[in-house]
Amino acid sequence: MTAPSLLRRPAPAKVWSRLLLLGPAFVAAIAYVDPGNVAANLTAGANYGYLLVWVLVAANAMAVLVQYQSAKLGLATGLSLPEILGKRLGTKRRRLYWVQAEIVAGATDMAEVIGGAVALNLLFGLPLLAGGLIVGVASMMLLALQSQRGQRSFEYAILVLLGIIAVGFVSGLFVNPPDAGSALGGLLPRFEGTDTVLLAASMLGATVMPHAIYLHSALARDRHGFSENPAVRTRLIRATRVDVVGALLLAGVVNISMLLLAATSLRGIEGTDTIAGAHAAVTSALGPAIGVVFAIGLLASGLASTSVGCYAGATIMGGLLKVRIPLLTRRVITLIPALIVLGAGVEPTLALVLSQVLLSFGIPFALIPLIRLTGKREVMGIHTDSTALKIAGWTSVTLIVGLNIVLITLTVSGNS
């Protein structure tokens, strides 16, 4: 008779098969460690210390929920979010919807190219325009990998870059560890004036990226396919929970590490309101080696996130317009706005901040339909959200959309 303990222990082959199901969420998680996040997190830590640690914890919790819902939608229906919307919207509304989604995806992609260009400038002194071109070419190589070798190979490449990002932004904490008591104190929700409200809104409200919501539903579906067997779909959805929690936990650790690094080593130092200034301060405080690792992490962030952003844009166009153009052609087209900004001499960190504000406009268009669809039995069947999940989903929608409205309002009023 088999021992009960052995019944509870998965066979090695079964464990390995479960691990092979992981991956799509790690691609989507790149959106949460892009150069825009770097700028916001460093600013928060340098200016306010550990005050806003709680914001990143809350943001990560909501990101887990949202990305899980997106992946579940793709697995339960066999369709991506853009494809479902494309079937439900009339021609005119569908085209208008595509326009706003493409603008948001383009703004995000522009920020990511700029972040990579800044990293090359920090590492090698390259002009920003030349750096943008190099990032564009490198991202084409990544996308060619996806086109020629398939999604799994693309996932492997993104996982490597995600690991480099993690090392780049976590390593400084080993040289100058944060104060544990102060870091834990940052878990208490509070503000210190209007500026901290604005910064918290930019960190929390703009954390959930619209393009990651659209893309994850397609990534999960494309990787696993659609099964008519409800038991198979249930198994895949359960595996997706592990995928999402693992990926977003890693992204959350990286983001919190950025803030802790700035709070510990950059607090009160002049010039840390730009990425270049923060890099100079990190190098001065922690040494040239950590400065180089930091810049490499930023480069990996820009390269990975712009590749994923371009992939997302293709998913949006294919689902809403039923038009597909080669990924490499799309990469060339979407690279142009970033090169124009870099060539015009716009301050890179300012461009990153403004791109975060612009993408805030697109969040309700992605988030509200997602939560509505996953709560509909005629769409999801037996995989419809439970009551608790519906409450959590709509609570997250209210908070995220509300904070994005605050972000936009404060930004506009502050610049008027």
PDB file of all heavy atoms in Angstrom, residues 361-388:
ATOM      1  N   PHE A 361      -4.049  57.640 -19.341  1.00  0.00           N
ATOM      2  CA  PHE A 361      -5.328  57.812 -20.017  1.00  0.00           C
ATOM      3  C   PHE A 361      -5.876  56.481 -20.551  1.00  0.00           C
ATOM      4  O   PHE A 361      -7.080  56.312 -20.689  1.00  0.00           O
ATOM      5  CB  PHE A 361      -5.174  58.795 -21.186  1.00  0.00           C
ATOM      6  CG  PHE A 361      -5.037  60.228 -20.769  1.00  0.00           C
ATOM      7  CD1 PHE A 361      -3.788  60.810 -20.672  1.00  0.00           C
ATOM      8  CD2 PHE A 361      -6.150  60.995 -20.467  1.00  0.00           C
ATOM      9  CE1 PHE A 361      -3.649  62.141 -20.296  1.00  0.00           C
ATOM     10  CE2 PHE A 361      -6.031  62.328 -20.083  1.00  0.00           C
ATOM     11  CZ  PHE A 361      -4.771  62.901 -19.997  1.00  0.00           C
ATOM     12  N   GLY A 362      -4.983  55.560 -20.865  1.00  0.00           N
ATOM     13  CA  GLY A 362      -5.426  54.318 -21.475  1.00  0.00           C
ATOM     14  C   GLY A 362      -5.769  53.210 -20.502  1.00  0.00           C
ATOM     15  O   GLY A 362      -6.339  52.186 -20.908  1.00  0.00           O
ATOM     16  N   ILE A 363      -5.449  53.391 -19.228  1.00  0.00           N
ATOM     17  CA  ILE A 363      -5.670  52.322 -18.262  1.00  0.00           C
ATOM     18  C   ILE A 363      -7.142  51.931 -18.123  1.00  0.00           C
ATOM     19  O   ILE A 363      -7.470  50.743 -18.140  1.00  0.00           O
ATOM     20  CB  ILE A 363      -5.057  52.685 -16.896  1.00  0.00           C
ATOM     21  CG1 ILE A 363      -3.531  52.610 -16.996  1.00  0.00           C
ATOM     22  CG2 ILE A 363      -5.556  51.765 -15.792  1.00  0.00           C
ATOM     23  CD1 ILE A 363      -2.809  52.998 -15.738  1.00  0.00           C
ATOM     24  N   PRO A 364      -8.085  52.873 -17.984  1.00  0.00           N
ATOM     25  CA  PRO A 364      -9.490  52.457 -17.854  1.00  0.00           C
ATOM     26  C   PRO A 364      -9.986  51.649 -19.048  1.00  0.00           C
ATOM     27  O   PRO A 364     -10.796  50.730 -18.894  1.00  0.00           O
ATOM     28  CB  PRO A 364     -10.254  53.789 -17.735  1.00  0.00           C
ATOM     29  CG  PRO A 364      -9.238  54.772 -17.261  1.00  0.00           C
ATOM     30  CD  PRO A 364      -7.946  54.342 -17.881  1.00  0.00           C
ATOM     31  N   PHE A 365      -9.483  51.961 -20.255  1.00  0.00           N
ATOM     32  CA  PHE A 365      -9.951  51.267 -21.457  1.00  0.00           C
ATOM     33  C   PHE A 365      -9.519  49.801 -21.472  1.00  0.00           C
ATOM     34  O   PHE A 365     -10.153  48.970 -22.129  1.00  0.00           O
ATOM     35  CB  PHE A 365      -9.426  51.978 -22.710  1.00  0.00           C
ATOM     36  CG  PHE A 365     -10.002  53.344 -22.918  1.00  0.00           C
ATOM     37  CD1 PHE A 365      -9.307  54.476 -22.511  1.00  0.00           C
ATOM     38  CD2 PHE A 365     -11.243  53.507 -23.509  1.00  0.00           C
ATOM     39  CE1 PHE A 365      -9.832  55.744 -22.700  1.00  0.00           C
ATOM     40  CE2 PHE A 365     -11.786  54.764 -23.710  1.00  0.00           C
ATOM     41  CZ  PHE A 365     -11.079  55.890 -23.297  1.00  0.00           C
ATOM     42  N   ALA A 366      -8.437  49.486 -20.792  1.00  0.00           N
ATOM     43  CA  ALA A 366      -7.990  48.092 -20.712  1.00  0.00           C
ATOM     44  C   ALA A 366      -8.530  47.391 -19.476  1.00  0.00           C
ATOM     45  O   ALA A 366      -8.961  46.239 -19.537  1.00  0.00           O
ATOM     46  CB  ALA A 366      -6.457  48.041 -20.708  1.00  0.00           C
ATOM     47  N   LEU A 367      -8.542  48.099 -18.361  1.00  0.00           N
ATOM     48  CA  LEU A 367      -8.836  47.469 -17.078  1.00  0.00           C
ATOM     49  C   LEU A 367     -10.323  47.196 -16.879  1.00  0.00           C
ATOM     50  O   LEU A 367     -10.716  46.109 -16.435  1.00  0.00           O
ATOM     51  CB  LEU A 367      -8.308  48.373 -15.952  1.00  0.00           C
ATOM     52  CG  LEU A 367      -8.113  47.747 -14.576  1.00  0.00           C
ATOM     53  CD1 LEU A 367      -7.267  46.498 -14.675  1.00  0.00           C
ATOM     54  CD2 LEU A 367      -7.463  48.756 -13.640  1.00  0.00           C
ATOM     55  N   ILE A 368     -11.164  48.170 -17.197  1.00  0.00           N
ATOM     56  CA  ILE A 368     -12.609  48.003 -16.978  1.00  0.00           C
ATOM     57  C   ILE A 368     -13.185  46.869 -17.828  1.00  0.00           C
ATOM     58  O   ILE A 368     -13.903  46.000 -17.306  1.00  0.00           O
ATOM     59  CB  ILE A 368     -13.350  49.340 -17.212  1.00  0.00           C
ATOM     60  CG1 ILE A 368     -12.941  50.351 -16.123  1.00  0.00           C
ATOM     61  CG2 ILE A 368     -14.864  49.125 -17.206  1.00  0.00           C
ATOM     62  CD1 ILE A 368     -13.504  51.738 -16.331  1.00  0.00           C
ATOM     63  N   PRO A 369     -12.891  46.809 -19.144  1.00  0.00           N
ATOM     64  CA  PRO A 369     -13.400  45.662 -19.924  1.00  0.00           C
ATOM     65  C   PRO A 369     -12.883  44.321 -19.407  1.00  0.00           C
ATOM     66  O   PRO A 369     -13.627  43.326 -19.426  1.00  0.00           O
ATOM     67  CB  PRO A 369     -12.885  45.941 -21.341  1.00  0.00           C
ATOM     68  CG  PRO A 369     -12.668  47.411 -21.387  1.00  0.00           C
ATOM     69  CD  PRO A 369     -12.213  47.793 -20.006  1.00  0.00           C
ATOM     70  N   LEU A 370     -11.636  44.281 -18.950  1.00  0.00           N
ATOM     71  CA  LEU A 370     -11.083  43.019 -18.450  1.00  0.00           C
ATOM     72  C   LEU A 370     -11.883  42.490 -17.271  1.00  0.00           C
ATOM     73  O   LEU A 370     -12.286  41.316 -17.252  1.00  0.00           O
ATOM     74  CB  LEU A 370      -9.621  43.230 -18.031  1.00  0.00           C
ATOM     75  CG  LEU A 370      -8.962  42.023 -17.338  1.00  0.00           C
ATOM     76  CD1 LEU A 370      -8.784  40.881 -18.326  1.00  0.00           C
ATOM     77  CD2 LEU A 370      -7.633  42.417 -16.709  1.00  0.00           C
ATOM     78  N   ILE A 371     -12.128  43.346 -16.279  1.00  0.00           N
ATOM     79  CA  ILE A 371     -12.846  42.904 -15.081  1.00  0.00           C
ATOM     80  C   ILE A 371     -14.302  42.595 -15.401  1.00  0.00           C
ATOM     81  O   ILE A 371     -14.897  41.666 -14.833  1.00  0.00           O
ATOM     82  CB  ILE A 371     -12.742  43.958 -13.967  1.00  0.00           C
ATOM     83  CG1 ILE A 371     -11.262  44.241 -13.647  1.00  0.00           C
ATOM     84  CG2 ILE A 371     -13.460  43.491 -12.706  1.00  0.00           C
ATOM     85  CD1 ILE A 371     -10.477  43.006 -13.230  1.00  0.00           C
ATOM     86  N   ARG A 372     -14.891  43.343 -16.318  1.00  0.00           N
ATOM     87  CA  ARG A 372     -16.273  43.043 -16.731  1.00  0.00           C
ATOM     88  C   ARG A 372     -16.364  41.680 -17.414  1.00  0.00           C
ATOM     89  O   ARG A 372     -17.252  40.877 -17.121  1.00  0.00           O
ATOM     90  CB  ARG A 372     -16.782  44.120 -17.692  1.00  0.00           C
ATOM     91  CG  ARG A 372     -17.121  45.455 -17.042  1.00  0.00           C
ATOM     92  CD  ARG A 372     -17.804  46.378 -18.024  1.00  0.00           C
ATOM     93  NE  ARG A 372     -19.082  45.822 -18.476  1.00  0.00           N
ATOM     94  CZ  ARG A 372     -19.780  46.282 -19.516  1.00  0.00           C
ATOM     95  NH1 ARG A 372     -19.301  47.294 -20.235  1.00  0.00           N
ATOM     96  NH2 ARG A 372     -20.918  45.734 -19.850  1.00  0.00           N
ATOM     97  N   LEU A 373     -15.430  41.411 -18.313  1.00  0.00           N
ATOM     98  CA  LEU A 373     -15.487  40.162 -19.075  1.00  0.00           C
ATOM     99  C   LEU A 373     -15.236  38.946 -18.194  1.00  0.00           C
ATOM    100  O   LEU A 373     -15.911  37.919 -18.336  1.00  0.00           O
ATOM    101  CB  LEU A 373     -14.459  40.211 -20.216  1.00  0.00           C
ATOM    102  CG  LEU A 373     -14.800  41.148 -21.374  1.00  0.00           C
ATOM    103  CD1 LEU A 373     -13.596  41.323 -22.294  1.00  0.00           C
ATOM    104  CD2 LEU A 373     -15.992  40.626 -22.166  1.00  0.00           C
ATOM    105  N   THR A 374     -14.264  39.022 -17.285  1.00  0.00           N
ATOM    106  CA  THR A 374     -13.971  37.854 -16.444  1.00  0.00           C
ATOM    107  C   THR A 374     -15.073  37.588 -15.431  1.00  0.00           C
ATOM    108  O   THR A 374     -15.099  36.523 -14.806  1.00  0.00           O
ATOM    109  CB  THR A 374     -12.631  38.037 -15.696  1.00  0.00           C
ATOM    110  OG1 THR A 374     -12.657  39.254 -14.930  1.00  0.00           O
ATOM    111  CG2 THR A 374     -11.465  38.078 -16.670  1.00  0.00           C
ATOM    112  N   GLY A 375     -15.993  38.546 -15.269  1.00  0.00           N
ATOM    113  CA  GLY A 375     -17.115  38.350 -14.371  1.00  0.00           C
ATOM    114  C   GLY A 375     -18.380  37.869 -15.060  1.00  0.00           C
ATOM    115  O   GLY A 375     -19.403  37.651 -14.410  1.00  0.00           O
ATOM    116  N   LYS A 376     -18.317  37.680 -16.390  1.00  0.00           N
ATOM    117  CA  LYS A 376     -19.487  37.264 -17.161  1.00  0.00           C
ATOM    118  C   LYS A 376     -19.457  35.758 -17.430  1.00  0.00           C
ATOM    119  O   LYS A 376     -18.513  35.254 -18.037  1.00  0.00           O
ATOM    120  CB  LYS A 376     -19.534  38.019 -18.501  1.00  0.00           C
ATOM    121  CG  LYS A 376     -19.905  39.489 -18.387  1.00  0.00           C
ATOM    122  CD  LYS A 376     -19.905  40.133 -19.751  1.00  0.00           C
ATOM    123  CE  LYS A 376     -20.373  41.575 -19.698  1.00  0.00           C
ATOM    124  NZ  LYS A 376     -21.802  41.680 -19.427  1.00  0.00           N
ATOM    125  N   ARG A 377     -20.513  35.065 -17.008  1.00  0.00           N
ATOM    126  CA  ARG A 377     -20.552  33.618 -17.200  1.00  0.00           C
ATOM    127  C   ARG A 377     -20.657  33.257 -18.680  1.00  0.00           C
ATOM    128  O   ARG A 377     -20.111  32.223 -19.107  1.00  0.00           O
ATOM    129  CB  ARG A 377     -21.725  33.024 -16.421  1.00  0.00           C
ATOM    130  CG  ARG A 377     -21.828  31.505 -16.518  1.00  0.00           C
ATOM    131  CD  ARG A 377     -22.719  30.923 -15.445  1.00  0.00           C
ATOM    132  NE  ARG A 377     -22.124  31.066 -14.122  1.00  0.00           N
ATOM    133  CZ  ARG A 377     -21.231  30.223 -13.609  1.00  0.00           C
ATOM    134  NH1 ARG A 377     -20.806  29.181 -14.329  1.00  0.00           N
ATOM    135  NH2 ARG A 377     -20.756  30.400 -12.410  1.00  0.00           N
ATOM    136  N   GLU A 378     -21.327  34.087 -19.483  1.00  0.00           N
ATOM    137  CA  GLU A 378     -21.456  33.764 -20.896  1.00  0.00           C
ATOM    138  C   GLU A 378     -20.112  33.858 -21.627  1.00  0.00           C
ATOM    139  O   GLU A 378     -19.955  33.318 -22.727  1.00  0.00           O
ATOM    140  CB  GLU A 378     -22.486  34.673 -21.578  1.00  0.00           C
ATOM    141  CG  GLU A 378     -22.137  36.157 -21.566  1.00  0.00           C
ATOM    142  CD  GLU A 378     -22.730  36.886 -20.368  1.00  0.00           C
ATOM    143  OE1 GLU A 378     -22.907  36.243 -19.314  1.00  0.00           O
ATOM    144  OE2 GLU A 378     -22.993  38.100 -20.498  1.00  0.00           O
ATOM    145  N   VAL A 379     -19.151  34.549 -21.030  1.00  0.00           N
ATOM    146  CA  VAL A 379     -17.814  34.649 -21.615  1.00  0.00           C
ATOM    147  C   VAL A 379     -16.884  33.589 -21.033  1.00  0.00           C
ATOM    148  O   VAL A 379     -16.174  32.890 -21.759  1.00  0.00           O
ATOM    149  CB  VAL A 379     -17.215  36.052 -21.373  1.00  0.00           C
ATOM    150  CG1 VAL A 379     -15.764  36.119 -21.861  1.00  0.00           C
ATOM    151  CG2 VAL A 379     -18.045  37.117 -22.061  1.00  0.00           C
ATOM    152  N   MET A 380     -16.897  33.443 -19.716  1.00  0.00           N
ATOM    153  CA  MET A 380     -15.912  32.619 -19.010  1.00  0.00           C
ATOM    154  C   MET A 380     -16.401  31.208 -18.691  1.00  0.00           C
ATOM    155  O   MET A 380     -15.592  30.342 -18.338  1.00  0.00           O
ATOM    156  CB  MET A 380     -15.512  33.305 -17.701  1.00  0.00           C
ATOM    157  CG  MET A 380     -14.915  34.692 -17.881  1.00  0.00           C
ATOM    158  SD  MET A 380     -13.320  34.663 -18.715  1.00  0.00           S
ATOM    159  CE  MET A 380     -12.298  33.947 -17.421  1.00  0.00           C
ATOM    160  N   GLY A 381     -17.704  30.953 -18.756  1.00  0.00           N
ATOM    161  CA  GLY A 381     -18.217  29.635 -18.404  1.00  0.00           C
ATOM    162  C   GLY A 381     -17.936  29.308 -16.947  1.00  0.00           C
ATOM    163  O   GLY A 381     -18.175  30.125 -16.062  1.00  0.00           O
ATOM    164  N   ILE A 382     -17.396  28.118 -16.700  1.00  0.00           N
ATOM    165  CA  ILE A 382     -17.151  27.698 -15.319  1.00  0.00           C
ATOM    166  C   ILE A 382     -16.000  28.465 -14.677  1.00  0.00           C
ATOM    167  O   ILE A 382     -15.784  28.364 -13.465  1.00  0.00           O
ATOM    168  CB  ILE A 382     -16.851  26.188 -15.246  1.00  0.00           C
ATOM    169  CG1 ILE A 382     -15.543  25.864 -15.982  1.00  0.00           C
ATOM    170  CG2 ILE A 382     -18.002  25.373 -15.788  1.00  0.00           C
ATOM    171  CD1 ILE A 382     -15.054  24.452 -15.742  1.00  0.00           C
ATOM    172  N   HIS A 383     -15.276  29.230 -15.474  1.00  0.00           N
ATOM    173  CA  HIS A 383     -14.127  29.970 -14.945  1.00  0.00           C
ATOM    174  C   HIS A 383     -14.487  31.405 -14.570  1.00  0.00           C
ATOM    175  O   HIS A 383     -13.598  32.232 -14.344  1.00  0.00           O
ATOM    176  CB  HIS A 383     -12.997  29.964 -15.971  1.00  0.00           C
ATOM    177  CG  HIS A 383     -12.646  28.593 -16.471  1.00  0.00           C
ATOM    178  ND1 HIS A 383     -12.111  27.619 -15.661  1.00  0.00           N
ATOM    179  CD2 HIS A 383     -12.800  28.021 -17.698  1.00  0.00           C
ATOM    180  CE1 HIS A 383     -11.920  26.506 -16.353  1.00  0.00           C
ATOM    181  NE2 HIS A 383     -12.336  26.716 -17.593  1.00  0.00           N
ATOM    182  N   THR A 384     -15.769  31.694 -14.500  1.00  0.00           N
ATOM    183  CA  THR A 384     -16.216  33.035 -14.096  1.00  0.00           C
ATOM    184  C   THR A 384     -15.667  33.384 -12.711  1.00  0.00           C
ATOM    185  O   THR A 384     -15.543  32.521 -11.843  1.00  0.00           O
ATOM    186  CB  THR A 384     -17.762  33.082 -14.053  1.00  0.00           C
ATOM    187  OG1 THR A 384     -18.266  32.620 -15.296  1.00  0.00           O
ATOM    188  CG2 THR A 384     -18.259  34.497 -13.803  1.00  0.00           C
ATOM    189  N   ASP A 385     -15.357  34.653 -12.514  1.00  0.00           N
ATOM    190  CA  ASP A 385     -14.825  35.105 -11.223  1.00  0.00           C
ATOM    191  C   ASP A 385     -15.786  34.788 -10.083  1.00  0.00           C
ATOM    192  O   ASP A 385     -17.010  34.930 -10.228  1.00  0.00           O
ATOM    193  CB  ASP A 385     -14.589  36.620 -11.242  1.00  0.00           C
ATOM    194  CG  ASP A 385     -13.428  37.004 -12.134  1.00  0.00           C
ATOM    195  OD1 ASP A 385     -12.637  36.113 -12.495  1.00  0.00           O
ATOM    196  OD2 ASP A 385     -13.296  38.205 -12.443  1.00  0.00           O
ATOM    197  N   SER A 386     -15.216  34.392  -8.969  1.00  0.00           N
ATOM    198  CA  SER A 386     -16.011  34.244  -7.754  1.00  0.00           C
ATOM    199  C   SER A 386     -16.424  35.619  -7.247  1.00  0.00           C
ATOM    200  O   SER A 386     -15.900  36.649  -7.699  1.00  0.00           O
ATOM    201  CB  SER A 386     -15.190  33.528  -6.678  1.00  0.00           C
ATOM    202  OG  SER A 386     -14.065  34.325  -6.315  1.00  0.00           O
ATOM    203  N   THR A 387     -17.343  35.652  -6.304  1.00  0.00           N
ATOM    204  CA  THR A 387     -17.777  36.933  -5.732  1.00  0.00           C
ATOM    205  C   THR A 387     -16.610  37.678  -5.109  1.00  0.00           C
ATOM    206  O   THR A 387     -16.455  38.898  -5.296  1.00  0.00           O
ATOM    207  CB  THR A 387     -18.867  36.696  -4.670  1.00  0.00           C
ATOM    208  OG1 THR A 387     -19.985  36.037  -5.283  1.00  0.00           O
ATOM    209  CG2 THR A 387     -19.326  38.023  -4.071  1.00  0.00           C
ATOM    210  N   ALA A 388     -15.767  36.949  -4.375  1.00  0.00           N
ATOM    211  CA  ALA A 388     -14.608  37.589  -3.734  1.00  0.00           C
ATOM    212  C   ALA A 388     -13.664  38.184  -4.767  1.00  0.00           C
ATOM    213  O   ALA A 388     -13.140  39.293  -4.588  1.00  0.00           O
ATOM    214  CB  ALA A 388     -13.867  36.578  -2.862  1.00  0.00           C
TER     215      ALA A 388
END
